[in-house]
Amino acid sequence: MLNVKQNGLLSRAGLFVLGLFLTGCISHSAPKGLRVSFLNDPASLADTIKILRRNGCSKSSVEGFKKAVEYYYQVPLAVDLTAFPPPKKGVYLFRSGEAFASALPESLFATQHPFEINCLDVALHLSGDHVSTTLIANAPSNRFFVEVNCGGDNRPQAYPVISPQNAFEIRYPPWYTNMVTTITGRPFSDEHISLMSCFAEFHMNFQDSPSEKTGSSLLQVLRSRWDQQGVVFSEKVQTTLLHRIDVANKRFFTSHAGLLFQNGRGYTYIEKSGGQGPFLRIDLQSQKDLAPYFGTLISGRWNEQFSRNFMTVNDRLIAEVFPRSSE
């Protein structure tokens, strides 16, 4: 997850998830079904590097990504693959998103592995040339709140800050920033720090109770806030953001980030599964095919209700495409 101090699952009473897929395009074809890789095979990692470079990620960011992947797998993958089909060059073929999600024994966030670079920083390192903000890292601004874990129970809290730099220092202890810089060879730029604060913001006083309008209401809040912060996404690299919504306490915040590349017949999705979880690539036909996997991030295990209601609101999941897909 985004908070380096938060290692628990996303499952919480009264929490919901909003998936935002921000526009983009690439030219990489996707086969039928789902092709899943943890990038712990040289062939799958090499192919992923080519995709990232071909679709606008800078050479230095891709090199840093490769170093982070190789560093992570100095400790062998600790995911139980008993229910997975035999891999071919590091790739597992599933007939559907549901088949992949049901094969996972638990949320990838719960993988037993030392905490390393988190999902948001991987996404920002790779897409940094394609997303920007007018916020200045060390410039004081009106007080806002960022999501942190202030205790040992993994319960996210809203912490007041006065600048992006302040938000960065509150959320990221020195051991984390030093580790990420050492592993990737890339320091945290001022732009990265400012963008981190935008996506780590804890939005308060959320008034809606869950309904069919909840997703669009949240998008309006985010659009308005991003406009104030001068956040701009290019059409070259998509950023996928998942948001946890605490209806009881009227607040919501970003919990997960990944990258989604569109191609002629489908999509390629790439993420780091929280601080402990593995790197993950999914080649899929439709954005909706990610719904079962996202369901495992909430509950730990897949429930078919997540797929049936991916584009609607139910008691566990809210999903929305930004801008709305033509699918």
Side-chain angles (χ1 to χ4, degrees):
M1 280 184 266
L2 300 187
N3 193 337
V4 299
K5 300 179 183 177
Q6 183 174 337
N7 298 334
L9 301 180
L10 289 183
S11 178
R12 293 288 186 274
L15 295 180
F16 300 81
V17 170
L18 167 67
L20 304 181
F21 303 88
L22 304 171
T23 57
C25 59
I26 68 169
S27 57
H28 178 68
S29 61
K32 293 182 179 179
L34 261 68
R35 292 168 57 87
V36 175
S37 171
F38 295 106
L39 306 187
N40 58 337
D41 178 89
S44 62
L45 177 57
D47 184 65
T48 301
I49 295 301
K50 291 179 182 179
I51 291 173
L52 293 171
R53 289 291 292 127
R54 186 164 61 238
N55 293 283
C57 296
S58 70
K59 181 179 179 180
S60 61
S61 69
V62 173
E63 288 177 348
F65 173 81
K66 182 175 182 290
K67 290 176 182 177
V69 173
E70 292 173 341
Y71 185 89
Y72 181 90
Y73 289 116
Q74 289 180 5
V75 177
L77 180 68
V79 177
D80 182 357
L81 303 178
T82 303
F84 276 50
K88 296 182 179 179
K89 295 184 178 180
V91 177
Y92 303 87
L93 179 62
F94 292 90
R95 66 180 182 277
S96 65
E98 290 84 353
F100 168 52
S102 63
L104 289 170
E106 59 182 348
S107 169
L108 291 179
F109 289 158
T111 303
Q112 295 301 305
H113 188 282
F115 198 104
E116 294 176 8
I117 187 170
N118 69 29
C119 53
L120 178 59
D121 289 325
V122 167
L124 289 180
H125 273 301
L126 285 174
S127 63
D129 294 334
H130 301 279
V131 58
S132 61
T133 177
T134 58
L135 290 184
I136 300 174
N138 59 1
S141 61
N142 293 332
R143 188 178 71 168
F144 60 102
F145 296 87
V146 292
E147 180 256 329
V148 297
N149 178 29
C150 296
D153 57 0
N154 291 319
R155 293 179 62 86
Q157 302 292 330
Y159 199 95
V161 295
I162 59 172
S163 70
Q165 183 68 44
N166 185 205
F168 185 80
E169 292 169 353
I170 290 297
R171 282 175 53 86
Y172 289 170
W175 68 260
Y176 176 78
T177 56
N178 292 337
M179 173 194 63
V180 171
T181 299
T182 300
I183 292 173
T184 65
R186 288 173 57 87
F188 289 88
S189 67
D190 287 346
E191 183 92 84
H192 187 130
I193 291 171
S194 294
L195 285 168
M196 184 283 295
S197 73
C198 296
F199 298 129
E201 185 167 1
F202 211 120
H203 300 275
M204 310 293 289
N205 300 318
F206 173 68
Q207 298 300 318
D208 284 355
S209 57
S211 71
E212 292 297 326
K213 297 181 180 180
T214 302
S216 60
S217 296
L218 290 180
L219 287 176
Q220 291 177 5
V221 171
L222 289 170
R223 285 170 179 156
S224 176
R225 186 59 174 154
W226 286 341
D227 284 344
Q228 294 173 7
Q229 298 167 331
V231 176
V232 177
F233 298 91
S234 78
E235 294 186 354
K236 192 67 175 178
V237 178
Q238 300 176 80
T239 303
T240 304
L241 302 176
L242 300 183
H243 297 263
R244 293 175 64 180
I245 306 169
D246 184 348
V247 175
N249 294 299
K250 310 297 184 185
R251 59 194 187 183
F252 67 101
F253 55 95
T254 302
S255 282
H256 188 51
L259 298 177
L260 184 71
F261 303 102
Q262 187 178 6
N263 58 64
R265 293 186 296 168
Y267 300 85
T268 294
Y269 174 75
I270 297 172
E271 71 167 36
K272 172 68 164 58
S273 304
Q276 293 177 240
F279 289 84
L280 176 68
R281 168 181 166 182
I282 306 175
D283 293 293
L284 59 155
Q285 295 261 297
S286 167
Q287 295 171 348
K288 295 181 182 180
D289 293 333
L290 284 174
Y293 171 65
F294 288 154
T296 68
L297 303 184
I298 309 165
S299 67
R301 293 188 63 84
W302 173 67
N303 183 311
E304 65 179 16
Q305 187 177 31
F306 297 136
S307 294
R308 291 201 309 268
N309 297 287
F310 182 51
M311 299 304 296
T312 63
V313 176
N314 59 35
D315 65 338
R316 298 296 300 229
L317 181 68
I318 301 172
E320 183 70 42
V321 175
F322 177 68
R324 188 172 294 276
S325 172
S326 60
E327 291 185 351

